[in-house]
Amino acid sequence: MRGCLMLGFLRLLRRPARLAGLCLLPAVIFAAGMLLPPQSLDNPLHAGICLPESSSGAAALWDTLCQTDQAYVIFHTANETEITENVAAGKWECGFILHPQFETRYQQEDCGWLATVITSRSGTLSPILEEAFSAALYHIRAPWLATAYAAQNKLADANGLAVLRQQIADGLPENRQMDLLIESVHGQTQTGVHFGTAMARSVCQGLIAIFLFLYGLLAAADLNAARQTGWFVRMAAFTGQPRLLAGLAAAQFITAGLCGIAAYGFTTYFFAAGKGLIAILLYTAMLAGLAFVLAWLPGASQWLAAILPFAPAICLIFCPVLFDAGQFFAPAGALSAALPPTWLVRAFDGSDLHVLAAACIIIYTIAYAFAVGRRQNKAKRWPTKDV
């Protein structure tokens, strides 16, 4: 087995283009970390608000918005034109234009719409600002909502409602800072503003997962084609096809695993990634077993070569790297869960590490069955007899 492994490394050294391609993964992530330092990514979100003139309710709303945690959100007063231009230019995440009759509407229980939200297609984080705006709006409407509830349930008369409204208004804290708590789909919370860093980390981790998966398909096609060559047939006569094929696959994926670990190390250094070393080791081992199994299938090099041009687009669309397609289209969630890059992306968060372990067990069981079946066929074809 050691000789087959060394033969695999020698064969890989004779392919400098493939080695350069593997080294390209950590090089790209290193360049991204140098060009996009974390301090330049973690900027607060900005939003504009257009206030009607001579409105005490709008002034109270603005005072409440100013008390929002400015590590996350910063609001600016502006007119409609300024809001539209800044949102369209990407300087502000979104904008809010209050209704001209905001002063009379916000005091009513059934107030209708109170503000118009201005967003752009690139404003993916505008819901966070909308939540902050809604919280501030309900803060100033609290006395009126409470008195409306008391009137419906006949808890106080007309005079008592005015006193109750004033008591609730006096009881609201004046210097109330609205803290935002950001929680991921996996239940992890952020104690500070890390929107840009989190996005860069997610993209780098997804790039590692997709790159290694594509290399696994390429290696499987290469191993399948190598089985038809003359040198492989001659070497396999001495070592056996399963052992030789395993050595060639191990050499390729040891190198790929080292490049993946280096890329993840750069991701951890620049973008504060989690503990994903075990996940990468399991993922690389699983891909090595998958390439070994695919190499035994007839004509795998042809149909894998046909799949490879479309595989990057499929992985980018359906794997939760840039976005989670399953959140928008339910059937896409099943396809996303079946793609190996999704397993690694989720294992980076520590949620689906058992999926990679189970995949390794299943794939290596199938690989062992292929190797045993090959030995039995060879024994039947070339029977031996002790004398």
Side-chain angles (χ1 to χ4, degrees):
M1 182 64 186
R2 184 181 301 177
C4 296
L5 182 62
M6 294 302 298
L7 181 61
F9 281 120
L10 291 174
R11 184 169 177 264
L12 191 60
L13 288 175
R14 295 181 61 183
R15 297 183 171 186
R18 181 163 297 191
L19 283 175
L22 286 174
C23 295
L24 188 62
L25 175 63
V28 167
I29 295 181
F30 178 79
M34 294 298 293
L35 297 175
L36 299 173
Q39 59 270 20
S40 67
L41 298 174
D42 295 331
N43 296 319
L45 304 177
H46 294 264
I49 179 170
C50 180
L51 303 173
E53 298 180 359
S54 303
S55 173
S56 59
L61 176 64
W62 172 248
D63 292 338
T64 305
L65 290 174
C66 290
Q67 296 166 15
T68 307
D69 189 355
Q70 294 191 356
Y72 285 100
V73 177
I74 297 178
F75 288 95
H76 306 271
T77 56
N79 55 41
E80 295 185 23
T81 303
E82 291 174 341
I83 289 177
T84 304
E85 290 178 352
N86 284 283
V87 172
K91 296 180 180 179
W92 294 351
E93 193 73 16
C94 64
F96 304 91
I97 301 175
L98 298 187
H99 194 277
Q101 299 177 357
F102 180 83
E103 182 64 25
T104 56
R105 284 197 170 207
Y106 89 97
Q107 301 175 6
Q108 303 173 8
E109 181 184 6
D110 187 10
C111 59
W113 65 274
L114 295 175
T116 301
V117 184
I118 306 298
T119 60
S120 65
R121 293 184 178 180
S122 60
T124 56
L125 298 177
S126 58
I128 298 176
L129 293 164
E130 294 173 13
E131 290 291 335
F133 181 83
S134 299
L137 192 59
Y138 277 104
H139 179 73
I140 65 169
R141 294 190 65 214
W144 307 94
L145 294 175
T147 52
Y149 176 81
Q152 287 181 357
N153 293 275
K154 299 180 180 180
L155 300 178
D157 55 14
N159 295 329
L161 290 176
V163 175
L164 177 62
R165 184 183 303 114
Q166 187 61 39
Q167 289 178 346
I168 295 175
D170 295 339
L172 292 175
E174 296 181 358
N175 298 323
R176 177 180 180 272
Q177 179 178 357
M178 292 193 301
D179 296 326
L180 297 178
L181 181 64
I182 310 300
E183 183 175 340
S184 68
V185 294
H186 303 293
Q188 297 180 343
T189 59
Q190 295 185 9
T191 56
V193 52
H194 301 296
F195 299 125
T197 300
M199 177 61 71
R201 179 172 60 247
S202 176
V203 171
C204 289
Q205 291 176 349
L207 180 63
I208 294 172
I210 294 175
F211 184 92
L212 292 178
F213 176 64
L214 296 178
Y215 183 79
L217 297 181
L218 180 64
D222 177 66
L223 293 175
N224 181 263
R227 292 183 59 232
Q228 313 303 323
T229 58
W231 70 267
F232 186 92
V233 175
R234 291 190 294 270
M235 290 296 300
F238 298 96
T239 62
Q241 284 198 19
R243 183 174 297 181
L244 179 58
L245 201 63
L248 298 179
Q252 294 205 41
F253 284 95
I254 287 175
T255 308
L258 292 175
C259 291
I261 292 173
Y264 189 75
F266 289 137
T267 304
T268 303
Y269 178 77
F270 289 111
F271 306 115
K275 300 178 180 179
L277 181 60
I278 296 178
I280 289 183
L281 293 177
L282 287 174
Y283 187 67
T284 306
M286 184 268 296
L287 290 177
L290 180 63
F292 180 84
V293 171
L294 293 177
W296 289 101
L297 301 181
S301 58
Q302 283 78 23
W303 53 263
L304 283 174
I307 292 174
L308 275 171
F310 306 98
I314 293 173
C315 292
L316 285 174
I317 293 174
F318 292 101
C319 295
V321 178
L322 301 177
F323 62 94
D324 191 353
Q327 299 292 329
F328 303 96
F329 184 59
L335 179 59
S336 174
L339 293 173
T342 301
W343 307 343
L344 180 59
V345 169
R346 293 177 176 172
F348 279 138
D349 297 324
S351 57
D352 285 355
L353 195 62
H354 62 283
V355 175
L356 285 177
C360 283
I361 295 174
I362 294 173
I363 288 176
Y364 276 92
T365 301
I366 297 174
Y368 180 76
F370 269 105
V372 172
R374 181 68 185 181
R375 289 179 181 177
Q376 291 179 350
N377 291 337
K378 183 178 179 180
K380 292 178 180 179
R381 192 176 303 172
W382 301 97
T384 58
K385 181 179 179 180
D386 295 332
V387 293

